[in-house]
Amino acid sequence: MCGIIGIVGNRPVAPRLVDGLKRLEYRGYDSAGIAVIEGGDLKRSRAKGKIVELEAELSRAPIDGLIGIAHTRWATHGKPTVANAHPHISGRVAVVHNGIIENYETLRASFDGARNFESDTDTEVVAHIMDAALSAGMTPKDAFAHTLKQLHGAFALGVIVGDNAGHIYAARRGSPLAIGLGDGENYIGSDAIALAALSSDMVYLEEGDSAIITANSVEIFDENGTAVSRDTTRIDDAAIATDKGPFAHYMLKEVHEQVRTTGQTLSNYADGESVKAPEGLDFTAFDRLTLIACGTASYAGHVAKYWFEQIAQMPCEIDIASEFRYRSPVLSPRGLAMVISQSGETADTLAALRYCKEKGQTTIALVNVMTSTMAREADIAIPIDAGPEIGVASTKAFTSQLMALYALSVLAGKQRGGIDVAAEADLMKAAAAVPALVGKSLLLDAQIKTLAADLAGNRSAFYLGRGPHFPLALEGALKLKEISYIHAEGYAAGELKHGPIALIEDGTPVIVIAPFDELFEKTVSNMQEVLSRGAKVTLITDAKGAKLAGHMAHAVLTVPDMPQTVAPIVLSVPVQLLAYHTALALGTDVDQPRNLAKSVTVE
Ligand code: F6R
């Protein structure tokens, strides 16, 4: 959510800042801007919209220098306009910011009209405070430290000072910030992906850290202002590789990658037909598991609740982080709390993790970015291992979250004595079958494209499922909403008659997710209920289900028969492709849907 990059170097920075912004565009794309120091003066270029607009502005009126900061914005305070685009400048100071300055109104008021504010943002006040401190005679270092002390909230900051060329001032409180190390150059970035073309050696700032970066030095200070040293992490190229390959969109590429990524995830948790325990994880030490996440990751948690209860007989709750953190949840003294997050940076999920730590829970972070804040702060960090996910709509991270959670539920069952060696082997063989089943599900692509052309003509749609396919119905509706902008709702199939069925009329599209399992007949009854009210039903099922109920539906998407326990992972594929092709038919921006950002680092 908002992306920051900065370069202090020995070569012109503007094109490289723009390239870094393009890599960060998945974090927000409402507006973008850069500021450089050219001959001792701050120069700025900003544009509303995506980075291409900034590029056009820069070719119309070029600026460049040997030091610069840049930003791509996901608007929080103030509309996506040029005036609200970062960097914000006051006098000699230019600032880029990710996060929210919560006390900005008080700080703004404290100037009592003495300064002229040009934007509606919470960020601009940072530039004014620091510029005022410089005008009062402070050194840039002291002025930056003084500024940080005034700010409340969660933020990452990058600052340059016009007459102090050669220094970037950076700070991290709540929002992530990495320093990339170069040869005669150094960098700051919201993540390693931003700096992929520049550096593989990252120093991750810790909570409360600030830093002064020059072309040849990096000084880091902790929250008390004491100089500290932080480890350097070498980033694996695969973890930052972000090309689309032959695919039209990142989302499509990532859907196809699931043949590989589901297996890759499993390899972290499987040893042949045995499940492998992540270091330090023993489910017998706990009497209750609390899963916490946001959005798609929370739906993975919802599916996992069924697995932990059914496979491991382990009491398990799932909550969305933004509710969990504010409802004073009562946690068991022997509780285990697991946050699930692709980015490992989602503000609400991170706050929930901290709450759980405070309440004495042992904490696990199941994350895709192993250098993320959640990974660093949890007692145990375990990998989703789906590789970088760039499409804003989560796909491969979801199926990999499911795969990891499935294996962990088998582990919990094994450790807690609920399943024997034979059952463990059966369950793990089922997991090993997933990559091939995902491959076969991808063959539905052409059929889904035809169905999507029809779905695209509707204003709303319903997704129904029971058991672990209820959360998959929620995920299907979310995917459709976020990339095609068609209103969609997911329901537990048995719940529809308690109200929402009133919305079913002639031609209402209803997608029923029902593989052949013990709940199949009940879901088919619910399908009949909507059919008799005129719904146009697409049934997503397996070969057995298609044989028994396919003739009732208007269309059937049939995946091969599969072990029941892993069906939610496999059935995710047609659900994702249906949303993708519908969005494509409507001509929306699949990888960067309106109003969204990939990494939600504000509340
Ligand atoms: C939807 C989507 C979001 C994320 C949510 C949590 O396609 O991607 O709902 O799942 O914002 O993000 P992470 O997993 O990074 O915590």
Side-chain angles (χ1 to χ4, degrees), residues 461 463 472-482 486 488-490 575:
Y463 285 73
L472 191 53
L474 296 173
E475 169 62 4
L478 173 63
K479 284 287 92 92
L480 191 71
K481 273 187 275 216
E482 66 180 334
I486 293 175
E489 295 297 339
V575 164

Side-chain angles (χ1 to χ4, degrees), residues 293-299 340-347 349 374 384 389 391-395 397 401 475 478-479 482 596-600:
C294 295
T296 288
S298 80
Y299 298 143
I340 309 162
S341 174
Q342 189 284 127
S343 61
E345 303 293 351
T346 301
T349 312
M374 285 181 219
I384 291 170
E389 189 180 64
V392 164
S394 186
T395 52
Q401 284 157 2
E475 169 62 4
L478 173 63
K479 284 287 92 92
E482 66 180 334
L596 298 183
K598 180 100 188 131
S599 176
V600 186

Side-chain angles (χ1 to χ4, degrees), residues 248-270:
H249 295 98
Y250 281 112
M251 180 177 174
L252 188 62
K253 174 188 173 226
E254 288 160 4
V255 167
H256 279 257
E257 276 179 338
Q258 294 173 115
V259 179
R260 177 179 55 78
T261 51
T262 48
Q264 185 172 297
T265 302
L266 183 62
S267 67
N268 292 276
Y269 299 94

Side-chain angles (χ1 to χ4, degrees), residues 184-477:
E185 287 202 329
N186 288 310
Y187 319 97
I188 60 166
S190 293
D191 59 28
I193 291 175
L195 305 178
L198 302 170
S199 172
S200 302
D201 292 317
M202 295 297 138
V203 177
Y204 289 92
L205 291 187
E206 292 188 5
E207 196 47 28
D209 282 357
S210 59
I212 302 176
I213 300 129
T214 70
N216 297 306
S217 67
V218 173
E219 286 177 282
I220 302 177
F221 308 92
D222 67 11
E223 57 197 335
N224 304 314
T226 310
V228 285
S229 97
R230 302 287 181 220
D231 293 342
T232 302
T233 308
R234 177 135 267 252
I235 304 295
D236 179 358
D237 285 351
I240 46 178
T242 58
D243 66 302
K244 265 196 289 226
F247 295 94
H249 295 98
Y250 281 112
M251 180 177 174
L252 188 62
K253 174 188 173 226
E254 288 160 4
V255 167
H256 279 257
E257 276 179 338
Q258 294 173 115
V259 179
R260 177 179 55 78
T261 51
T262 48
Q264 185 172 297
T265 302
L266 183 62
S267 67
N268 292 276
Y269 299 94
D271 187 359
E273 290 175 6
S274 303
V275 65
K276 200 160 72 181
E279 206 182 316
L281 180 54
D282 177 1
F283 281 100
T284 61
F286 309 104
D287 61 359
R288 173 164 287 276
L289 173 64
T290 306
L291 301 170
I292 312 144
C294 295
T296 288
S298 80
Y299 298 143
H302 274 273
V303 174
K305 175 178 163 69
Y306 290 86
W307 285 329
F308 276 99
E309 288 177 348
Q310 286 167 8
I311 297 175
Q313 287 89 52
M314 180 157 193
C316 177
E317 286 174 74
I318 162 76
D319 208 343
I320 44 177
S322 54
E323 288 300 315
F324 175 86
R325 59 181 294 197
Y326 291 118
R327 70 176 169 81
S328 309
V330 180
L331 300 168
S332 160
R334 289 183 58 231
L336 175 66
M338 188 190 310
V339 291
I340 309 162
S341 174
Q342 189 284 127
S343 61
E345 303 293 351
T346 301
D348 284 316
T349 312
L350 180 58
L353 168 66
R354 289 175 179 160
Y355 176 91
C356 290
K357 282 186 87 169
E358 250 172 59
K359 298 287 169 195
Q361 303 290 285
T362 299
T363 55
I364 306 183
L366 175 61
V367 290
N368 202 30
V369 182
M370 288 298 276
T371 49
S372 62
T373 312
M374 285 181 219
R376 287 203 300 276
E377 292 195 10
D379 297 316
I380 304 170
I382 53 176
I384 291 170
D385 201 8
E389 189 180 64
I390 302 298
V392 164
S394 186
T395 52
K396 64 174 181 170
F398 177 64
T399 47
S400 282
Q401 284 157 2
L402 288 176
M403 184 58 105
L405 288 161
Y406 174 83
L408 290 169
S409 72
V410 177
L411 176 68
K414 177 183 177 176
Q415 289 179 332
R416 291 163 64 88
I419 54 172
D420 59 17
V421 177
E424 177 191 357
D426 281 348
L427 289 162
M428 293 309 282
K429 269 192 269 182
V434 167
L437 287 161
V438 166
K440 289 189 179 140
S441 307
L442 287 170
L443 301 176
L444 292 168
D445 190 74
Q447 194 194 347
I448 292 175
K449 202 170 173 178
T450 313
L451 291 175
D454 187 37
L455 184 57
N458 291 276
R459 297 282 303 141
S460 74
F462 287 88
Y463 285 73
L464 303 183
R466 275 179 183 257
H469 302 101
F470 160 45
L472 191 53
L474 296 173
E475 169 62 4

